[in-house]
Amino acid sequence: MKQDLDTAPAGAVAAPLPWWGRALAGGALAALPVIVIGLIVLMVAPGWVQNLTAMALINLMIVVGLQIYSGNSGIVHLGHSAFVGLGAYGMAILTTPLVMKKLSIPNAPFGLAGVELHWLPGAALALLVVGVIAWISARVIARLSGIAATIVSLAFLMVIHSVFLHWPALFKGNQGFFGIPKLIGLPELLLAACAVILIARLFRESPGGLQLRASAQDQKAADAIGIDSRALRRHAWILSALVCGLAGILFAVFSGTISPRLFFFQQVMLTLAMLILGGMASVSGAVAGAVILSLVLELIRNIESGVTIGGVTTPALLGLSGVALGMVIVLCMALRPQGLLGHREADDFLEKWRVSRTPGRNDRRDENATR
Amino acid sequence: MEYLIQQLLNALAFGAEYALIALGLAVVFSIMGLVNFAHGEVIAGAAYAVLLFAGLGFGAPLLVIGLAIAAAIIMSVALERVAFRPVRNAPVTTGLLTAFGVSIVLQNLFQLLVSPRPQAFPALNGLNVTWHLGPWAISSLQVMELAAALLAMLALSAFLGRSLLGIAMRAASRDFSTVRLMGIKANRVVAAAFVISGALAGIACVFILARRGGVTPDMGFSLVLKAFVACVIGGFGSLFGAAAGGMLLGFIEVGLLVLLPQEMGGLKDALTYVIVTMILIYRPEGLFGTRRDLGDKEF
Amino acid sequence: MLRLETVSVQYGPVRAVRDLDLAAGAGALIALLGPNGAGKTSTIAAISGLVPATGRIMLAGEDISRLPVEDRIKRGIAVAPEGRRIFANLTVAENLRMGAALRRDATGVRQDTDRYLSLFPVLGERINQHAGTLSGGEQQMLAIARAMMSRPKVLLLDEPSLGLAPLIVARIFDFIGQLKAEGLTVILVEQNAAQAMRFADQVCVLASGRVSYRGSPADLAGADVMKLYLGDAGM
């Protein structure tokens, strides 16, 4: 597998890189369309398009975070939005100015009503909280595999959501938590999205990521060669939670207002549909699914709220986007369960294309294609 | 004393409801490895169906009960034909996600076609009266619910124990392809599972309607989640485990309601899930499950 | 009774069975021998319809190669599959009832049940026990009895001797001989060549999905073919 750099045929195939090099290069390739779209929007698009793009980027980060766990472990995770919420609320509680807190959560426990942190320590602390909760829940989830893990992840979402709703002293309950300082815009989100894509690729290509993917394929075989799949599942869960938590933190300081229902089923099914559409097994798939579905959904939302064509306004069709999302999942499962990109990353496609253009190497079989 | 008995009856009634729904899930899962998230929408769909019929003037309680069960069976079988048959031999995850997608589609269709707001359905309120037995006041609905659940379970176990199709279903839960080698059509066994599952959903629907007096588009989801949790505690794929897990869940919930102070009542669901998760730390395979039932049941 | 014409089975890029021809009249027993991976079990699965196959499979003059499994069983094929595959969570009686799933003559079913239980008294003793608690030999007896409950025209038997003590193997083969004598057509897959050849009318040795030798058991025993294709383990 490993070739010496000197003996590699020049120009035929890419020089073999260490895993992290491959991950960074591949991640950069996957992030490229995101950067291009982001920069175009940043330069020419009006404000409301910039806002929509920013929201799409946050969703993209959540999808990539979800991919880190589900894509590598093969277990469907339906509770990742809980971590997004935890990150967002952590940031909100820690960094909202005291004046605003007097209005929103004057009776917060643990003296939190009198805390106002700078954004950097605030974000770090919020991430730490997400990490601790992820660490605790990971110990439970990693013991389970298959369906039981999926159902417990969903139960986890219900637990966190229920705490948001029923602990009004800290989370303000059903109402929106407002007054969070708006610190960032599209450029920062663009940067963060790229970082998250690289992190996910690094994990996927790392020895641990490879082992986890192997154990998802065949648990028994993985056990036999001494892979500690439980520990790996735990690591993936925590990293996934941190990425989702980061997305939540950024969401809080982007929008300035949050409420529990934003981090519930609506978001779970949206991000899950994105991941499934693009292909769970690759980071590029997660990115592709997020980009495509963000665009399509925007169209559907316009229809949903009623369109005016030639003076006739169609009635509002509440639920249409939900139907569309559900259909995306159902149709993908029936027609292309591996998603649009299957198990390949963007750089795998590039490699395949390059190989097919190199004479004499056409017979090389693509190991990713046979499954 | 009276309070205790009242709470015991509460726990039994809740438990019976969860057991009915959990059994509906377990019947389908044990045969074809499908985690049917859309089961809750079958319940909600049946509720909307009787709502429609009641609007047309068919609102007599007995008629409503029959219609609810019939509607749930039709919907359950129809979902199998349309959505689940294409993924029948796919890995468990594919089936699970399909069912999740179906559930989302149906919830949003209810919103789109009926209304996002709750719809009142008073036709079954008559079932809920208070019976005075000596010193005790007992809700008729709870007694009926318990009785109906017990009857349904007895009927199910008689069917699985004695009828040829029932025996075939039990055999199929372990080895589907050998059942086909006996000349029994796979579609028949699967359809039977969905009919039973639908009937159980219909019965549950009647009691849910009678208790809540209305229906919402997302009604099914929280119910089915609880039923899943019941299945996970009982051991996924075991029918007995599903029923027992449902009952246990009823007792945990009512126990928490009794023990928790008033202002923390909202956290009942959260604590229930936490307790369930604790159980799973010590018995990841569920209380009545075997290791085999737990993992990915690949075909 | 049963005729295979150029039957092939393909799993992805692997061809497990290649252009197999086979013909078995009523009351004939054909033994399929050969090493692991030769395509014996795939042949059985192709006849029963559990795996898709190309070519033609004729049963009593009717082309059954396009029929699903269930319809082939209905037309008179029965399988005692590899690894026995009895329903471990059902009782012995329920297993037999599953075997007779397609029959509507209750009296006949009862007579057949009694017959097989008297042939294998040990099954009669354990009639209400879960089949998973039976020993390997008992499970094999049950698997064959279950297959026979459908009153088949053709019985497909996959490695009935696997993992069993010689004495039990001999008993099971005595029973197979008796069924053949009653006019049943049997396709027998076996690694235990000595037992298989006791009742075989024809022996087919498969290697890599092809027939590498075909003949009567007498020819095979006489020739060096035995050693050639089966090695010493064959004896």
Side-chain angles (χ1 to χ4, degrees), chain A residues 209-226:
Chain A
L210 181 65
Q211 287 174 2
L212 184 57
R213 281 186 281 148
S215 69
Q217 295 278 321
D218 191 337
Q219 180 74 56
K220 282 207 187 89
D223 288 346
I225 55 171

Side-chain angles (χ1 to χ4, degrees), chain B residues 27-33 80 88-89 165 168-194 292 297-299, chain C residues 50 69-70 85 87 89 98:
Chain B
V27 165
V28 167
F29 179 81
S30 67
I31 304 258
M32 51 186 294
E80 192 273 322
R88 185 184 290 173
N89 296 317
L165 194 55
M169 285 176 69
R170 278 191 290 142
S173 72
R174 293 292 180 89
D175 188 347
F176 210 131
S177 62
T178 307
V179 170
R180 298 184 67 199
L181 283 180
M182 302 295 114
I184 297 166
K185 286 206 160 50
N187 283 346
R188 248 187 101 205
V189 177
V190 171
F194 276 90
R292 199 193 63 82
K297 188 174 166 185
E298 303 280 350
F299 286 91
Chain C
L50 277 181
V69 181
E70 297 87 347
R85 303 284 282 269
F87 300 116
N89 57 336
M98 286 297 291

Side-chain angles (χ1 to χ4, degrees), chain A residues 223-295:
Chain A
D223 288 346
I225 55 171
I227 290 177
D228 185 355
S229 50
R230 249 189 217 186
L232 292 168
R233 282 207 293 265
R234 219 158 49 220
H235 297 160
W237 174 269
I238 294 173
L239 185 61
S240 157
L242 288 174
V243 168
C244 288
L246 176 69
I249 290 171
L250 295 174
F251 176 70
V253 290
F254 170 76
S255 83
T257 311
I258 55 176
S259 70
R261 60 177 182 81
L262 294 175
F263 313 112
F264 205 42
F265 280 123
Q266 211 72 19
Q267 190 182 64
V268 170
M269 77 190 193
L270 172 65
T271 46
L272 186 69
M274 287 174 169
L275 184 59
I276 288 171
L277 177 68
M280 207 178 257
S282 74
V283 180
S284 312
V287 174
V291 171
I292 295 171
L293 214 47
S294 295
L295 290 171

Side-chain angles (χ1 to χ4, degrees), chain A residues 76 140 143-144 146-148 151-152 154-155 158-159 162 166 265 269 272 276 317-319 322-323 326-327 329-330 333, chain B residues 29 35 37 87 92-94 97-98 100-102 104-105 108 112 221 225 228 236 266 270 273 277 280-281 284 294 296:
Chain A
V76 181
V140 181
R143 292 177 65 93
L144 307 168
I147 325 142
I151 294 187
V152 171
L154 192 52
M158 303 300 280
V159 170
S162 167
H166 298 289
F265 280 123
M269 77 190 193
L272 186 69
I276 288 171
L317 297 167
L318 257 114
V323 173
M327 286 310 290
I329 298 179
V330 174
M333 286 298 123
Chain B
F29 179 81
V35 181
F37 269 102
V87 294
V92 173
T93 311
T94 309
L97 288 172
T98 303
F100 191 69
V102 169
I104 294 170
V105 169
N108 285 284
L112 196 64
F221 203 86
L225 182 60
F228 270 127
F236 233 105
Y273 292 130
T277 310
L280 287 177
I281 297 181
L294 173 72
D296 313 38

